[in-house]
């Protein structure tokens, strides 16, 4: 903004002063730019959540990755917009460096934009620490939780609504006999889980369960032992299937976490570049904006 030249006898005095050149860093401008950038980033993040563009799920990796095309585009837009406005404000609001070479001015403006982006990023991470933890660490937590022990896998594979285990019911199944009690189910369940954890059935356990089967069903000891072997083999296969699925889920979760982190890195890198670039633009606009006051004698 320029004032009209004064008439004869008027003195034009510039408000710019070289007294502010004790430091090449204008922290006020940097903090102002960082505040604008972090605020805009937060607003756009909320908007993205409302539009469903900020959701990250490790279970969608096979359908385009943990971050879909829309989410990637929104993250990039958020970084470009927030970093751009923050960098421009940091360059535009800094003091004018009188008597400084143009190359040095360009470097300082670039540094101001980069510092504004860095402060804004740290503030955003601090404010949204829970959200960042959920995005980056959620997949890792899922991977750890999705790796159950063999015994837990068998119980999950055969669980029924009444809390008993399917395989223990198979051992105690007797069409013509009385229903098994909870204590009997619990005992057989403990035996099966212990043997599955050891990787093989104990001879004494096999003999004991065969005796129970023979007593309840009228089968011979040999026939009862065959049933025990068959049920144990089915339980062992179920445990292996659950373990394989858990391992696959953990691998997909790790891939999803790596995929998300990679795109976030790219978006942050774009933000740093745009903030530095627009800071130089704002600095040029600042240097070409001259403010005068008129005084008369």
């Amino acid at each position: 903004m320029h004032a009209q030249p004064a008439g004869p006898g008027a003195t034009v005095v510039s408000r710019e002063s070289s007294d502010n050149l004790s430091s090449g860093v204008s922290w006020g401008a940097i903090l102002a730019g960082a505040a604008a950038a972090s605020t805009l980033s937060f607003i756009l993040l909320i908007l993205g959540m409302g539009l469903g563009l900020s959701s990250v799920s490790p279970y969608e990796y096979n359908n385009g990755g943990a971050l879909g095309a829309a989410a990637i585009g929104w993250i990039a837009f958020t970084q470009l917009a927030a970093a751009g406005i923050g960098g421009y404000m940091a360059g535009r609001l800094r003091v004018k460096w009188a008597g400084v070479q143009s190359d040095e001015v360009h470097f300082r403006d670039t540094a101001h934009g980069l510092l504004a982006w860095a402060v804004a990023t740290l503030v955003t991470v601090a404010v949204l620490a829970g959200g960042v933890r959920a995005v980056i660490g959620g997949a890792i937590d899922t991977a750890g939780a999705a790796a159950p022990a063999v015994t837990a896998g068998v119980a999950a594979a055969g669980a029924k609504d009444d809390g008993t285990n399917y395989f223990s019911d198979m051992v105690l199944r007797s069409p013509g006999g009385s229903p098994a009690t909870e204590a009997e189910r619990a005992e057989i369940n403990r035996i099966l889980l212990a043997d599955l954890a050891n990787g093989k059935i104990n001879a004494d356990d096999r003999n004991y369960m065969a005796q129970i089967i023979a007593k309840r069903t009228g089968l011979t000891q040999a026939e009862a032992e065959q049933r025990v072997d068959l049920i144990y083999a089915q339980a062992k296969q179920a445990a292996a299937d659950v373990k394989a699925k858990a391992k696959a889920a953990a691998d997909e979760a790790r891939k999803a976490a790596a995929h998300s982190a990679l795109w976030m890195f790219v978006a942050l890198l774009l933000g740093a570049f745009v903030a530095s670039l627009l800071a130089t633009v704002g600095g040029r606009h600042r240097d070409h904006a001259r403010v005068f006051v008129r005084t008369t004698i």
Side-chain angles (χ1 to χ4, degrees), residues 244-271:
K245 291 179 181 179
K247 183 179 179 181
D251 290 340
E252 289 185 7
R254 282 191 289 268
K255 292 178 182 178
H259 185 265
S260 301
L262 178 62
W263 280 112
M264 289 179 182
F265 166 76
V266 172
L268 289 171
L269 201 62
L270 285 174

Side-chain angles (χ1 to χ4, degrees), residues 63-251:
N63 298 323
L67 292 178
I72 292 172
W74 186 257
I75 290 175
F77 170 75
T78 298
Q79 272 295 307
L80 293 177
I85 191 65
Y88 182 84
M89 290 187 64
R92 187 66 183 266
L93 296 178
R94 52 87 171 165
V95 297
K96 183 176 181 179
W97 295 305
V100 179
Q101 295 181 355
S102 59
D103 291 343
E104 179 64 18
V105 171
H106 181 82
F107 172 80
R108 292 185 182 185
D109 285 336
T110 302
H112 275 65
L114 186 62
L115 288 173
W117 166 85
V119 173
T121 301
L122 292 176
V123 170
T124 303
V125 170
V127 173
L128 303 177
V132 173
R133 175 72 174 83
V135 170
I136 298 178
I140 300 175
D141 292 342
T142 302
V150 175
T151 55
V154 176
K160 296 176 63 179
D161 292 339
D162 60 2
T164 59
N165 186 271
Y166 174 69
F167 298 106
S168 62
D169 283 343
M170 289 180 65
V171 171
L172 298 170
R173 186 174 297 168
S174 177
S178 60
T181 64
E182 291 296 330
E184 291 174 330
R185 288 192 180 102
E187 181 184 20
I188 296 299
N189 189 46
R190 288 193 299 269
I191 294 173
L192 285 174
L193 294 179
D195 288 340
L196 287 169
N198 292 330
K200 63 179 181 179
I201 188 169
N202 182 277
D204 292 337
D205 293 338
R206 179 173 177 269
N207 183 61
Y208 176 73
M209 288 188 289
Q211 290 176 358
I212 294 176
I213 293 173
K215 181 179 179 181
R216 291 182 58 81
T217 63
L219 296 175
T220 65
Q221 182 69 16
E223 291 173 338
E225 289 177 355
Q226 290 179 357
R227 177 189 282 195
V228 172
D229 292 338
L230 177 62
I231 293 173
Y232 178 79
Q234 293 177 353
K236 189 173 183 179
Q237 183 60 46
D241 292 342
V242 171
K243 186 176 182 180
K245 291 179 181 179
K247 183 179 179 181
D251 290 340

